[in-house]
Amino acid sequence: MINIFAAPDSATIWLLLWTANNIGVTLLNKSAFAKVDFKYPYFLSFVHMMCNSVGSMIVFRSVNSVNEGGGRKTMFTNMGGGIHNLLGNITRKEIDKAGKRKVLAFSVIFSLNIAIGNVSLRHVSVNFNQVMRSLVPAITIAMGIALGKNISKRRQMAVLPVIIGVAMACYGDMTFTTLGFFYTVFCVLLAALKVIASGEMLTGDLKLHPVD
């Protein structure tokens, strides 16, 4: 059986899944603030990160069960087999102190991005949030250029239709407060910085597996 998720041309599938997940989380978070009148965005972020941590520990435990082998079959072994079929062979990488500092810095950026994003959703509409977030590719390219990365003109021009298209699609309820605008801009900058940091973690000196 062909595994479409592990195929060389599976980037589009993973991108669509990530986009759907991102939109779903955004709508659910906004519903918590608008429909349920939940007033604790930082606590919501804490729950988000706790779920990430528990899910990560389960994945790592399952992967280790498969890598260690042995005749005993457990729930984690079966789950690890499924993860292996989905993502291919996963080998955890040992990192030094410098690498751990990089991972810690990335974790701080990632957590701040989630927390500030939830705070901004409490003060702005989903439409405004998505239009602002459409600027992330452009800001990411600008940060990359500032860091000395070589980015082609075609890639730079390609982000313009994306920004315009999202703005046209989301135009409507663009309500926001001054505080919400500040938080959203901060969130967009953090999101762009997270993209740069993610690329460095995956393709830089560390070359971590996406699961790591």
Side-chain angles (χ1 to χ4, degrees):
M1 184 177 65
I2 299 175
N3 186 353
I4 61 174
F5 293 99
D9 58 347
S10 63
T12 301
I13 298 174
W14 285 112
L15 181 61
L16 290 173
L17 289 173
W18 175 85
T19 302
N21 178 72
N22 189 36
I23 294 174
V25 170
T26 299
L27 293 175
L28 285 173
N29 288 349
K30 184 60 180 179
S31 297
F33 298 131
K35 305 296 184 182
V36 187
D37 196 26
F38 191 76
K39 300 179 180 179
Y40 309 100
Y42 289 111
F43 181 76
L44 185 63
S45 303
F46 169 76
V47 173
H48 186 139
M49 298 311 300
M50 283 297 298
C51 291
N52 279 347
S53 298
V54 172
S56 298
M57 286 188 287
I58 292 174
V59 169
F60 292 150
R61 176 72 180 275
S62 302
V63 169
N64 290 337
S65 296
V66 173
N67 292 339
E68 291 171 359
R72 184 183 177 186
K73 294 290 186 179
T74 66
M75 175 186 70
F76 292 107
T77 305
N78 295 331
M79 191 179 299
I83 294 172
H84 178 80
N85 292 333
L86 184 64
L87 300 176
N89 186 38
I90 300 172
T91 302
R92 303 292 308 281
K93 185 174 182 178
E94 296 292 334
I95 57 178
D96 55 16
K97 290 184 178 180
K100 290 179 180 179
R101 285 195 293 268
K102 290 181 180 179
V103 172
L104 178 61
F106 174 77
S107 300
V108 171
I109 295 171
F110 182 87
S111 300
L112 280 176
N113 179 50
I114 297 296
I116 299 301
N118 285 337
V119 173
S120 71
L121 279 175
R122 178 164 168 75
H123 298 282
V124 304
S125 65
V126 173
N127 286 0
F128 181 79
N129 178 274
Q130 291 303 302
V131 169
M132 291 295 290
R133 280 186 171 271
S134 71
L135 298 174
V136 170
I139 297 175
T140 301
I141 288 176
M143 287 183 175
I145 294 174
L147 293 172
K149 294 183 179 293
N150 184 22
I151 300 176
S152 66
K153 293 292 184 181
R154 293 180 61 183
R155 181 173 294 183
Q156 295 178 38
M157 296 300 296
V159 301
L160 293 178
V162 175
I163 296 172
I164 296 172
V166 172
M168 292 175 63
C170 295
Y171 183 78
D173 180 20
M174 298 286 284
T175 56
F176 61 92
T177 64
T178 302
L179 182 61
F181 177 80
F182 169 78
Y183 276 122
T184 305
V185 170
F186 189 25
C187 176
V188 168
L189 293 174
L190 285 171
L193 185 59
K194 186 190 75 173
V195 172
I196 295 291
S198 297
E200 186 63 26
M201 300 285 284
L202 296 173
T203 62
D205 295 334
L206 291 179
K207 290 183 172 58
L208 296 177
H209 190 280
V211 173
D212 279 326

